[in-house]
Amino acid sequence: MPLTPAIEEPQIHESAQGPRVTPAASRTAQTPRPVPGPRPAAVPRPGRPGPVRPAPPAQRAAQATPGPVPAAPTAPSVSAAVPQVQLIPASAEGALDAAEEAVDLLLDTGRAPGDILVITTGDPHPWAAHELSFGEASYWAQHDAKDDIFYADAAHVQRAASRPVVVFAANGGPAGAIAAALPVALTRAGALLIVCGDAQQINSVLGAGV
């Protein structure tokens, strides 16, 4: 049954007790909360002229002191292979910003950057667009290394490998992109799937596919 977002303060829980959609607090998509902290200066890519590579958000939290991950509430026994699902309501215009904030919170609570995969349905994340400018071989080599956050668009979700946490930004894109990519993203999430997008649309997809 589709769930309606609640008004509680958003928390990211790790649990194998799902799937269930845990709405987070409503947000004003047109004026998204800015991502805290400055980005460090990017380091030029050795041997390549032109623009420097933008630093992934993981580096912003490199010096943060990890905090404990809140324990999930108990629930009836379910398959350990099914990840928990959490919904952060956002418009298509605000979904990517919501996803960035979710990533920051994951890092602040002790998640390793290599545990996180971010998937977008519309415009790619700027980091992904820049890395793809150096060629797909270099781009996917970083995916295979699993030592940092990896950003992929919905068209590449089938190629992306599983990670403990998947953050799904429903930020527009072709018709049917969300319905096609979200069920696959669920299979790529080892413990937690965070979905940032329109609550009604997300619930309709998860309700049909889960």
Side-chain angles (χ1 to χ4, degrees):
M1 177 182 294
L3 300 180
T4 302
I7 62 173
E8 289 84 359
E9 183 68 20
Q11 291 186 344
I12 296 175
H13 301 296
E14 290 186 43
S15 172
Q17 304 163 353
R20 68 178 186 277
V21 176
T22 306
S26 299
R27 55 185 294 110
T28 303
Q30 291 74 14
T31 57
R33 190 153 47 97
V35 177
R39 293 177 182 268
V43 178
R45 190 182 185 88
R48 292 184 183 271
V52 296
R53 176 188 305 169
Q59 297 180 10
R60 296 183 308 218
Q63 303 302 320
T65 302
V69 178
T74 57
S77 178
V78 293
S79 171
V82 181
Q84 179 186 350
V85 181
Q86 185 173 36
L87 170 64
I88 299 178
S91 69
E93 294 76 15
L96 187 55
D97 287 316
E100 288 274 52
E101 292 178 10
V103 168
D104 285 337
L105 182 56
L106 287 163
L107 296 172
D108 289 345
T109 54
R111 265 294 175 189
D115 286 351
I116 303 169
L117 169 68
V118 180
I119 297 170
T120 58
T121 61
D123 291 338
H125 188 278
W127 182 89
H130 186 82
E131 289 303 317
L132 280 168
S133 72
F134 294 109
E136 290 205 4
S138 172
Y139 172 74
W140 287 105
Q142 295 180 68
H143 164 271
D144 296 340
K146 294 185 178 181
D147 56 5
D148 209 341
I149 303 167
F150 189 78
Y151 297 85
D153 62 35
H156 294 140
V157 68
Q158 293 283 359
R159 182 170 176 179
S162 297
R163 292 201 180 189
V165 182
V166 173
V167 180
F168 187 94
N171 62 329
I178 295 173
L182 186 52
V184 181
L186 182 64
T187 69
R188 298 298 187 267
L192 177 64
L193 171 65
I194 302 171
V195 187
C196 306
D198 179 80
Q200 183 176 358
Q201 183 179 28
I202 299 306
N203 275 311
S204 67
V205 173
L206 291 178
V210 178

PDB file of all heavy atoms in Angstrom, residues 92-133:
ATOM      1  N   ALA A  92      11.153  16.965  -9.166  1.00  0.00           N
ATOM      2  CA  ALA A  92      12.210  16.578 -10.104  1.00  0.00           C
ATOM      3  C   ALA A  92      13.371  17.567 -10.054  1.00  0.00           C
ATOM      4  O   ALA A  92      14.539  17.179 -10.145  1.00  0.00           O
ATOM      5  CB  ALA A  92      11.648  16.496 -11.522  1.00  0.00           C
ATOM      6  N   GLU A  93      13.037  18.860  -9.859  1.00  0.00           N
ATOM      7  CA  GLU A  93      14.085  19.882  -9.813  1.00  0.00           C
ATOM      8  C   GLU A  93      14.921  19.795  -8.537  1.00  0.00           C
ATOM      9  O   GLU A  93      16.089  20.198  -8.523  1.00  0.00           O
ATOM     10  CB  GLU A  93      13.482  21.282  -9.918  1.00  0.00           C
ATOM     11  CG  GLU A  93      12.816  21.587 -11.260  1.00  0.00           C
ATOM     12  CD  GLU A  93      11.459  20.925 -11.417  1.00  0.00           C
ATOM     13  OE1 GLU A  93      10.880  20.464 -10.382  1.00  0.00           O
ATOM     14  OE2 GLU A  93      10.959  20.857 -12.546  1.00  0.00           O
ATOM     15  N   GLY A  94      14.338  19.309  -7.452  1.00  0.00           N
ATOM     16  CA  GLY A  94      15.056  19.256  -6.185  1.00  0.00           C
ATOM     17  C   GLY A  94      15.598  17.893  -5.813  1.00  0.00           C
ATOM     18  O   GLY A  94      16.260  17.746  -4.778  1.00  0.00           O
ATOM     19  N   ALA A  95      15.353  16.875  -6.643  1.00  0.00           N
ATOM     20  CA  ALA A  95      15.727  15.509  -6.278  1.00  0.00           C
ATOM     21  C   ALA A  95      17.229  15.315  -6.153  1.00  0.00           C
ATOM     22  O   ALA A  95      17.708  14.622  -5.256  1.00  0.00           O
ATOM     23  CB  ALA A  95      15.149  14.521  -7.293  1.00  0.00           C
ATOM     24  N   LEU A  96      17.999  15.932  -7.049  1.00  0.00           N
ATOM     25  CA  LEU A  96      19.451  15.745  -6.992  1.00  0.00           C
ATOM     26  C   LEU A  96      20.038  16.421  -5.757  1.00  0.00           C
ATOM     27  O   LEU A  96      20.946  15.876  -5.114  1.00  0.00           O
ATOM     28  CB  LEU A  96      20.108  16.279  -8.261  1.00  0.00           C
ATOM     29  CG  LEU A  96      21.606  15.993  -8.415  1.00  0.00           C
ATOM     30  CD1 LEU A  96      21.897  14.497  -8.300  1.00  0.00           C
ATOM     31  CD2 LEU A  96      22.121  16.526  -9.747  1.00  0.00           C
ATOM     32  N   ASP A  97      19.512  17.600  -5.397  1.00  0.00           N
ATOM     33  CA  ASP A  97      19.973  18.254  -4.173  1.00  0.00           C
ATOM     34  C   ASP A  97      19.623  17.416  -2.944  1.00  0.00           C
ATOM     35  O   ASP A  97      20.415  17.306  -2.005  1.00  0.00           O
ATOM     36  CB  ASP A  97      19.350  19.646  -4.043  1.00  0.00           C
ATOM     37  CG  ASP A  97      19.943  20.641  -5.023  1.00  0.00           C
ATOM     38  OD1 ASP A  97      21.180  20.661  -5.169  1.00  0.00           O
ATOM     39  OD2 ASP A  97      19.185  21.384  -5.659  1.00  0.00           O
ATOM     40  N   ALA A  98      18.423  16.824  -2.955  1.00  0.00           N
ATOM     41  CA  ALA A  98      18.036  15.959  -1.845  1.00  0.00           C
ATOM     42  C   ALA A  98      18.955  14.752  -1.749  1.00  0.00           C
ATOM     43  O   ALA A  98      19.328  14.310  -0.654  1.00  0.00           O
ATOM     44  CB  ALA A  98      16.580  15.510  -2.018  1.00  0.00           C
ATOM     45  N   ALA A  99      19.337  14.210  -2.891  1.00  0.00           N
ATOM     46  CA  ALA A  99      20.251  13.065  -2.906  1.00  0.00           C
ATOM     47  C   ALA A  99      21.616  13.450  -2.352  1.00  0.00           C
ATOM     48  O   ALA A  99      22.245  12.682  -1.608  1.00  0.00           O
ATOM     49  CB  ALA A  99      20.387  12.518  -4.328  1.00  0.00           C
ATOM     50  N   GLU A 100      22.102  14.643  -2.697  1.00  0.00           N
ATOM     51  CA  GLU A 100      23.389  15.112  -2.183  1.00  0.00           C
ATOM     52  C   GLU A 100      23.346  15.240  -0.661  1.00  0.00           C
ATOM     53  O   GLU A 100      24.308  14.878   0.034  1.00  0.00           O
ATOM     54  CB  GLU A 100      23.728  16.468  -2.807  1.00  0.00           C
ATOM     55  CG  GLU A 100      24.116  16.401  -4.274  1.00  0.00           C
ATOM     56  CD  GLU A 100      25.582  16.107  -4.460  1.00  0.00           C
ATOM     57  OE1 GLU A 100      26.076  15.121  -3.860  1.00  0.00           O
ATOM     58  OE2 GLU A 100      26.239  16.851  -5.202  1.00  0.00           O
ATOM     59  N   GLU A 101      22.236  15.760  -0.136  1.00  0.00           N
ATOM     60  CA  GLU A 101      22.111  15.885   1.312  1.00  0.00           C
ATOM     61  C   GLU A 101      22.075  14.515   1.985  1.00  0.00           C
ATOM     62  O   GLU A 101      22.638  14.317   3.064  1.00  0.00           O
ATOM     63  CB  GLU A 101      20.858  16.690   1.658  1.00  0.00           C
ATOM     64  CG  GLU A 101      20.962  18.155   1.247  1.00  0.00           C
ATOM     65  CD  GLU A 101      19.712  18.948   1.555  1.00  0.00           C
ATOM     66  OE1 GLU A 101      18.831  18.416   2.264  1.00  0.00           O
ATOM     67  OE2 GLU A 101      19.607  20.094   1.112  1.00  0.00           O
ATOM     68  N   ALA A 102      21.406  13.561   1.340  1.00  0.00           N
ATOM     69  CA  ALA A 102      21.361  12.202   1.876  1.00  0.00           C
ATOM     70  C   ALA A 102      22.770  11.595   1.912  1.00  0.00           C
ATOM     71  O   ALA A 102      23.143  10.921   2.880  1.00  0.00           O
ATOM     72  CB  ALA A 102      20.426  11.338   1.035  1.00  0.00           C
ATOM     73  N   VAL A 103      23.547  11.830   0.869  1.00  0.00           N
ATOM     74  CA  VAL A 103      24.925  11.328   0.831  1.00  0.00           C
ATOM     75  C   VAL A 103      25.746  11.954   1.952  1.00  0.00           C
ATOM     76  O   VAL A 103      26.516  11.269   2.648  1.00  0.00           O
ATOM     77  CB  VAL A 103      25.561  11.612  -0.542  1.00  0.00           C
ATOM     78  CG1 VAL A 103      27.068  11.367  -0.503  1.00  0.00           C
ATOM     79  CG2 VAL A 103      24.921  10.736  -1.614  1.00  0.00           C
ATOM     80  N   ASP A 104      25.594  13.265   2.151  1.00  0.00           N
ATOM     81  CA  ASP A 104      26.329  13.937   3.236  1.00  0.00           C
ATOM     82  C   ASP A 104      25.991  13.315   4.591  1.00  0.00           C
ATOM     83  O   ASP A 104      26.867  13.099   5.429  1.00  0.00           O
ATOM     84  CB  ASP A 104      25.998  15.429   3.256  1.00  0.00           C
ATOM     85  CG  ASP A 104      26.688  16.197   2.139  1.00  0.00           C
ATOM     86  OD1 ASP A 104      27.718  15.707   1.640  1.00  0.00           O
ATOM     87  OD2 ASP A 104      26.200  17.270   1.768  1.00  0.00           O
ATOM     88  N   LEU A 105      24.716  13.028   4.811  1.00  0.00           N
ATOM     89  CA  LEU A 105      24.299  12.436   6.079  1.00  0.00           C
ATOM     90  C   LEU A 105      24.858  11.024   6.242  1.00  0.00           C
ATOM     91  O   LEU A 105      25.293  10.632   7.332  1.00  0.00           O
ATOM     92  CB  LEU A 105      22.771  12.420   6.169  1.00  0.00           C
ATOM     93  CG  LEU A 105      22.173  11.876   7.475  1.00  0.00           C
ATOM     94  CD1 LEU A 105      22.708  12.645   8.682  1.00  0.00           C
ATOM     95  CD2 LEU A 105      20.655  11.949   7.436  1.00  0.00           C
ATOM     96  N   LEU A 106      24.876  10.263   5.159  1.00  0.00           N
ATOM     97  CA  LEU A 106      25.464   8.924   5.218  1.00  0.00           C
ATOM     98  C   LEU A 106      26.934   8.993   5.616  1.00  0.00           C
ATOM     99  O   LEU A 106      27.400   8.226   6.465  1.00  0.00           O
ATOM    100  CB  LEU A 106      25.323   8.234   3.862  1.00  0.00           C
ATOM    101  CG  LEU A 106      23.933   7.752   3.475  1.00  0.00           C
ATOM    102  CD1 LEU A 106      23.862   7.468   1.984  1.00  0.00           C
ATOM    103  CD2 LEU A 106      23.538   6.523   4.276  1.00  0.00           C
ATOM    104  N   LEU A 107      27.672   9.907   5.019  1.00  0.00           N
ATOM    105  CA  LEU A 107      29.085  10.057   5.347  1.00  0.00           C
ATOM    106  C   LEU A 107      29.271  10.532   6.788  1.00  0.00           C
ATOM    107  O   LEU A 107      30.161  10.058   7.494  1.00  0.00           O
ATOM    108  CB  LEU A 107      29.741  11.043   4.377  1.00  0.00           C
ATOM    109  CG  LEU A 107      29.768  10.615   2.906  1.00  0.00           C
ATOM    110  CD1 LEU A 107      30.258  11.762   2.033  1.00  0.00           C
ATOM    111  CD2 LEU A 107      30.626   9.373   2.695  1.00  0.00           C
ATOM    112  N   ASP A 108      28.414  11.455   7.224  1.00  0.00           N
ATOM    113  CA  ASP A 108      28.514  11.961   8.591  1.00  0.00           C
ATOM    114  C   ASP A 108      28.239  10.875   9.629  1.00  0.00           C
ATOM    115  O   ASP A 108      28.739  10.938  10.756  1.00  0.00           O
ATOM    116  CB  ASP A 108      27.520  13.112   8.809  1.00  0.00           C
ATOM    117  CG  ASP A 108      27.935  14.382   8.066  1.00  0.00           C
ATOM    118  OD1 ASP A 108      29.109  14.455   7.643  1.00  0.00           O
ATOM    119  OD2 ASP A 108      27.090  15.278   7.901  1.00  0.00           O
ATOM    120  N   THR A 109      27.433   9.883   9.279  1.00  0.00           N
ATOM    121  CA  THR A 109      27.104   8.814  10.221  1.00  0.00           C
ATOM    122  C   THR A 109      28.013   7.595  10.061  1.00  0.00           C
ATOM    123  O   THR A 109      27.727   6.529  10.592  1.00  0.00           O
ATOM    124  CB  THR A 109      25.631   8.381  10.073  1.00  0.00           C
ATOM    125  OG1 THR A 109      25.361   8.041   8.707  1.00  0.00           O
ATOM    126  CG2 THR A 109      24.700   9.502  10.504  1.00  0.00           C
ATOM    127  N   GLY A 110      29.107   7.764   9.314  1.00  0.00           N
ATOM    128  CA  GLY A 110      30.128   6.727   9.292  1.00  0.00           C
ATOM    129  C   GLY A 110      30.158   5.823   8.088  1.00  0.00           C
ATOM    130  O   GLY A 110      30.972   4.896   8.043  1.00  0.00           O
ATOM    131  N   ARG A 111      29.312   6.060   7.096  1.00  0.00           N
ATOM    132  CA  ARG A 111      29.344   5.228   5.892  1.00  0.00           C
ATOM    133  C   ARG A 111      30.612   5.502   5.094  1.00  0.00           C
ATOM    134  O   ARG A 111      31.019   6.643   4.902  1.00  0.00           O
ATOM    135  CB  ARG A 111      28.126   5.513   5.027  1.00  0.00           C
ATOM    136  CG  ARG A 111      26.958   4.576   5.250  1.00  0.00           C
ATOM    137  CD  ARG A 111      27.293   3.175   4.836  1.00  0.00           C
ATOM    138  NE  ARG A 111      26.214   2.253   5.158  1.00  0.00           N
ATOM    139  CZ  ARG A 111      26.332   0.942   5.058  1.00  0.00           C
ATOM    140  NH1 ARG A 111      27.484   0.405   4.674  1.00  0.00           N
ATOM    141  NH2 ARG A 111      25.338   0.160   5.360  1.00  0.00           N
ATOM    142  N   ALA A 112      31.246   4.462   4.593  1.00  0.00           N
ATOM    143  CA  ALA A 112      32.414   4.622   3.734  1.00  0.00           C
ATOM    144  C   ALA A 112      31.966   5.101   2.354  1.00  0.00           C
ATOM    145  O   ALA A 112      30.925   4.653   1.850  1.00  0.00           O
ATOM    146  CB  ALA A 112      33.160   3.301   3.607  1.00  0.00           C
ATOM    147  N   PRO A 113      32.717   5.993   1.722  1.00  0.00           N
ATOM    148  CA  PRO A 113      32.335   6.475   0.384  1.00  0.00           C
ATOM    149  C   PRO A 113      32.128   5.340  -0.629  1.00  0.00           C
ATOM    150  O   PRO A 113      31.223   5.405  -1.457  1.00  0.00           O
ATOM    151  CB  PRO A 113      33.507   7.382  -0.007  1.00  0.00           C
ATOM    152  CG  PRO A 113      34.064   7.851   1.299  1.00  0.00           C
ATOM    153  CD  PRO A 113      33.915   6.685   2.238  1.00  0.00           C
ATOM    154  N   GLY A 114      32.956   4.313  -0.536  1.00  0.00           N
ATOM    155  CA  GLY A 114      32.834   3.216  -1.478  1.00  0.00           C
ATOM    156  C   GLY A 114      31.601   2.358  -1.300  1.00  0.00           C
ATOM    157  O   GLY A 114      31.321   1.497  -2.128  1.00  0.00           O
ATOM    158  N   ASP A 115      30.842   2.619  -0.215  1.00  0.00           N
ATOM    159  CA  ASP A 115      29.597   1.879   0.011  1.00  0.00           C
ATOM    160  C   ASP A 115      28.423   2.475  -0.751  1.00  0.00           C
ATOM    161  O   ASP A 115      27.336   1.888  -0.756  1.00  0.00           O
ATOM    162  CB  ASP A 115      29.230   1.897   1.504  1.00  0.00           C
ATOM    163  CG  ASP A 115      30.100   0.983   2.342  1.00  0.00           C
ATOM    164  OD1 ASP A 115      30.880   0.207   1.757  1.00  0.00           O
ATOM    165  OD2 ASP A 115      29.996   1.042   3.584  1.00  0.00           O
ATOM    166  N   ILE A 116      28.611   3.644  -1.377  1.00  0.00           N
ATOM    167  CA  ILE A 116      27.474   4.417  -1.877  1.00  0.00           C
ATOM    168  C   ILE A 116      27.477   4.504  -3.401  1.00  0.00           C
ATOM    169  O   ILE A 116      28.471   4.857  -4.033  1.00  0.00           O
ATOM    170  CB  ILE A 116      27.496   5.841  -1.279  1.00  0.00           C
ATOM    171  CG1 ILE A 116      27.500   5.781   0.254  1.00  0.00           C
ATOM    172  CG2 ILE A 116      26.300   6.655  -1.778  1.00  0.00           C
ATOM    173  CD1 ILE A 116      27.776   7.115   0.923  1.00  0.00           C
ATOM    174  N   LEU A 117      26.315   4.190  -3.980  1.00  0.00           N
ATOM    175  CA  LEU A 117      26.063   4.358  -5.408  1.00  0.00           C
ATOM    176  C   LEU A 117      24.909   5.348  -5.559  1.00  0.00           C
ATOM    177  O   LEU A 117      23.878   5.198  -4.913  1.00  0.00           O
ATOM    178  CB  LEU A 117      25.688   3.020  -6.053  1.00  0.00           C
ATOM    179  CG  LEU A 117      25.136   3.060  -7.480  1.00  0.00           C
ATOM    180  CD1 LEU A 117      26.210   3.502  -8.462  1.00  0.00           C
ATOM    181  CD2 LEU A 117      24.576   1.683  -7.876  1.00  0.00           C
ATOM    182  N   VAL A 118      25.087   6.373  -6.400  1.00  0.00           N
ATOM    183  CA  VAL A 118      24.035   7.359  -6.659  1.00  0.00           C
ATOM    184  C   VAL A 118      23.576   7.212  -8.102  1.00  0.00           C
ATOM    185  O   VAL A 118      24.400   7.206  -9.030  1.00  0.00           O
ATOM    186  CB  VAL A 118      24.538   8.797  -6.411  1.00  0.00           C
ATOM    187  CG1 VAL A 118      23.425   9.809  -6.682  1.00  0.00           C
ATOM    188  CG2 VAL A 118      25.045   8.947  -4.980  1.00  0.00           C
ATOM    189  N   ILE A 119      22.264   7.087  -8.290  1.00  0.00           N
ATOM    190  CA  ILE A 119      21.689   6.917  -9.623  1.00  0.00           C
ATOM    191  C   ILE A 119      20.778   8.105  -9.916  1.00  0.00           C
ATOM    192  O   ILE A 119      19.961   8.493  -9.073  1.00  0.00           O
ATOM    193  CB  ILE A 119      20.894   5.605  -9.714  1.00  0.00           C
ATOM    194  CG1 ILE A 119      21.825   4.408  -9.504  1.00  0.00           C
ATOM    195  CG2 ILE A 119      20.176   5.495 -11.056  1.00  0.00           C
ATOM    196  CD1 ILE A 119      21.100   3.095  -9.343  1.00  0.00           C
ATOM    197  N   THR A 120      20.902   8.690 -11.103  1.00  0.00           N
ATOM    198  CA  THR A 120      20.045   9.788 -11.526  1.00  0.00           C
ATOM    199  C   THR A 120      19.236   9.356 -12.747  1.00  0.00           C
ATOM    200  O   THR A 120      19.710   8.589 -13.580  1.00  0.00           O
ATOM    201  CB  THR A 120      20.868  11.035 -11.879  1.00  0.00           C
ATOM    202  OG1 THR A 120      21.811  10.709 -12.910  1.00  0.00           O
ATOM    203  CG2 THR A 120      21.629  11.542 -10.659  1.00  0.00           C
ATOM    204  N   THR A 121      17.994   9.885 -12.861  1.00  0.00           N
ATOM    205  CA  THR A 121      17.150   9.547 -14.013  1.00  0.00           C
ATOM    206  C   THR A 121      17.150  10.634 -15.075  1.00  0.00           C
ATOM    207  O   THR A 121      16.824  10.375 -16.228  1.00  0.00           O
ATOM    208  CB  THR A 121      15.702   9.305 -13.564  1.00  0.00           C
ATOM    209  OG1 THR A 121      15.179  10.499 -12.965  1.00  0.00           O
ATOM    210  CG2 THR A 121      15.629   8.164 -12.558  1.00  0.00           C
ATOM    211  N   GLY A 122      17.498  11.871 -14.676  1.00  0.00           N
ATOM    212  CA  GLY A 122      17.515  12.988 -15.620  1.00  0.00           C
ATOM    213  C   GLY A 122      18.937  13.421 -15.910  1.00  0.00           C
ATOM    214  O   GLY A 122      19.767  12.610 -16.327  1.00  0.00           O
ATOM    215  N   ASP A 123      19.217  14.708 -15.698  1.00  0.00           N
ATOM    216  CA  ASP A 123      20.581  15.195 -15.919  1.00  0.00           C
ATOM    217  C   ASP A 123      21.566  14.444 -15.034  1.00  0.00           C
ATOM    218  O   ASP A 123      21.287  14.219 -13.853  1.00  0.00           O
ATOM    219  CB  ASP A 123      20.669  16.692 -15.603  1.00  0.00           C
ATOM    220  CG  ASP A 123      19.902  17.543 -16.609  1.00  0.00           C
ATOM    221  OD1 ASP A 123      19.681  17.057 -17.733  1.00  0.00           O
ATOM    222  OD2 ASP A 123      19.519  18.670 -16.251  1.00  0.00           O
ATOM    223  N   PRO A 124      22.706  14.033 -15.575  1.00  0.00           N
ATOM    224  CA  PRO A 124      23.682  13.308 -14.757  1.00  0.00           C
ATOM    225  C   PRO A 124      24.294  14.224 -13.704  1.00  0.00           C
ATOM    226  O   PRO A 124      24.292  15.453 -13.843  1.00  0.00           O
ATOM    227  CB  PRO A 124      24.732  12.855 -15.767  1.00  0.00           C
ATOM    228  CG  PRO A 124      24.623  13.829 -16.890  1.00  0.00           C
ATOM    229  CD  PRO A 124      23.171  14.202 -16.972  1.00  0.00           C
ATOM    230  N   HIS A 125      24.819  13.628 -12.658  1.00  0.00           N
ATOM    231  CA  HIS A 125      25.555  14.398 -11.665  1.00  0.00           C
ATOM    232  C   HIS A 125      26.776  15.034 -12.359  1.00  0.00           C
ATOM    233  O   HIS A 125      27.386  14.417 -13.225  1.00  0.00           O
ATOM    234  CB  HIS A 125      26.006  13.472 -10.535  1.00  0.00           C
ATOM    235  CG  HIS A 125      26.596  14.181  -9.372  1.00  0.00           C
ATOM    236  ND1 HIS A 125      27.912  14.604  -9.354  1.00  0.00           N
ATOM    237  CD2 HIS A 125      26.060  14.562  -8.178  1.00  0.00           C
ATOM    238  CE1 HIS A 125      28.162  15.198  -8.202  1.00  0.00           C
ATOM    239  NE2 HIS A 125      27.059  15.201  -7.479  1.00  0.00           N
ATOM    240  N   PRO A 126      27.131  16.281 -11.984  1.00  0.00           N
ATOM    241  CA  PRO A 126      28.280  16.933 -12.644  1.00  0.00           C
ATOM    242  C   PRO A 126      29.560  16.113 -12.604  1.00  0.00           C
ATOM    243  O   PRO A 126      30.351  16.126 -13.555  1.00  0.00           O
ATOM    244  CB  PRO A 126      28.427  18.245 -11.863  1.00  0.00           C
ATOM    245  CG  PRO A 126      27.051  18.533 -11.355  1.00  0.00           C
ATOM    246  CD  PRO A 126      26.448  17.189 -11.052  1.00  0.00           C
ATOM    247  N   TRP A 127      29.786  15.381 -11.514  1.00  0.00           N
ATOM    248  CA  TRP A 127      30.991  14.556 -11.430  1.00  0.00           C
ATOM    249  C   TRP A 127      30.974  13.476 -12.509  1.00  0.00           C
ATOM    250  O   TRP A 127      31.981  13.239 -13.188  1.00  0.00           O
ATOM    251  CB  TRP A 127      31.093  13.932 -10.042  1.00  0.00           C
ATOM    252  CG  TRP A 127      32.327  13.099  -9.849  1.00  0.00           C
ATOM    253  CD1 TRP A 127      33.541  13.502  -9.415  1.00  0.00           C
ATOM    254  CD2 TRP A 127      32.454  11.686 -10.105  1.00  0.00           C
ATOM    255  NE1 TRP A 127      34.420  12.450  -9.371  1.00  0.00           N
ATOM    256  CE2 TRP A 127      33.779  11.326  -9.788  1.00  0.00           C
ATOM    257  CE3 TRP A 127      31.575  10.704 -10.561  1.00  0.00           C
ATOM    258  CZ2 TRP A 127      34.240  10.021  -9.917  1.00  0.00           C
ATOM    259  CZ3 TRP A 127      32.040   9.400 -10.694  1.00  0.00           C
ATOM    260  CH2 TRP A 127      33.367   9.064 -10.369  1.00  0.00           C
ATOM    261  N   ALA A 128      29.825  12.830 -12.680  1.00  0.00           N
ATOM    262  CA  ALA A 128      29.726  11.772 -13.687  1.00  0.00           C
ATOM    263  C   ALA A 128      29.922  12.336 -15.088  1.00  0.00           C
ATOM    264  O   ALA A 128      30.628  11.742 -15.920  1.00  0.00           O
ATOM    265  CB  ALA A 128      28.371  11.076 -13.580  1.00  0.00           C
ATOM    266  N   ALA A 129      29.308  13.485 -15.367  1.00  0.00           N
ATOM    267  CA  ALA A 129      29.453  14.086 -16.689  1.00  0.00           C
ATOM    268  C   ALA A 129      30.910  14.419 -16.982  1.00  0.00           C
ATOM    269  O   ALA A 129      31.403  14.201 -18.102  1.00  0.00           O
ATOM    270  CB  ALA A 129      28.583  15.342 -16.774  1.00  0.00           C
ATOM    271  N   HIS A 130      31.613  14.914 -15.985  1.00  0.00           N
ATOM    272  CA  HIS A 130      33.018  15.279 -16.193  1.00  0.00           C
ATOM    273  C   HIS A 130      33.889  14.038 -16.395  1.00  0.00           C
ATOM    274  O   HIS A 130      34.736  13.996 -17.303  1.00  0.00           O
ATOM    275  CB  HIS A 130      33.521  16.085 -15.012  1.00  0.00           C
ATOM    276  CG  HIS A 130      34.900  16.630 -15.207  1.00  0.00           C
ATOM    277  ND1 HIS A 130      35.147  17.789 -15.921  1.00  0.00           N
ATOM    278  CD2 HIS A 130      36.111  16.168 -14.812  1.00  0.00           C
ATOM    279  CE1 HIS A 130      36.453  18.016 -15.941  1.00  0.00           C
ATOM    280  NE2 HIS A 130      37.055  17.049 -15.268  1.00  0.00           N
ATOM    281  N   GLU A 131      33.676  13.028 -15.570  1.00  0.00           N
ATOM    282  CA  GLU A 131      34.499  11.818 -15.697  1.00  0.00           C
ATOM    283  C   GLU A 131      34.268  11.114 -17.027  1.00  0.00           C
ATOM    284  O   GLU A 131      35.200  10.563 -17.620  1.00  0.00           O
ATOM    285  CB  GLU A 131      34.210  10.877 -14.530  1.00  0.00           C
ATOM    286  CG  GLU A 131      34.737  11.374 -13.195  1.00  0.00           C
ATOM    287  CD  GLU A 131      36.227  11.634 -13.222  1.00  0.00           C
ATOM    288  OE1 GLU A 131      36.970  10.809 -13.786  1.00  0.00           O
ATOM    289  OE2 GLU A 131      36.647  12.673 -12.702  1.00  0.00           O
ATOM    290  N   LEU A 132      33.029  11.136 -17.514  1.00  0.00           N
ATOM    291  CA  LEU A 132      32.749  10.501 -18.804  1.00  0.00           C
ATOM    292  C   LEU A 132      33.427  11.243 -19.950  1.00  0.00           C
ATOM    293  O   LEU A 132      33.648  10.662 -21.021  1.00  0.00           O
ATOM    294  CB  LEU A 132      31.240  10.433 -19.035  1.00  0.00           C
ATOM    295  CG  LEU A 132      30.534   9.284 -18.316  1.00  0.00           C
ATOM    296  CD1 LEU A 132      29.024   9.477 -18.369  1.00  0.00           C
ATOM    297  CD2 LEU A 132      30.923   7.940 -18.943  1.00  0.00           C
ATOM    298  N   SER A 133      33.784  12.510 -19.736  1.00  0.00           N
ATOM    299  CA  SER A 133      34.491  13.250 -20.781  1.00  0.00           C
ATOM    300  C   SER A 133      35.887  12.685 -21.027  1.00  0.00           C
ATOM    301  O   SER A 133      36.495  12.930 -22.074  1.00  0.00           O
ATOM    302  CB  SER A 133      34.579  14.736 -20.415  1.00  0.00           C
ATOM    303  OG  SER A 133      35.497  14.955 -19.352  1.00  0.00           O
TER     304      SER A 133
END
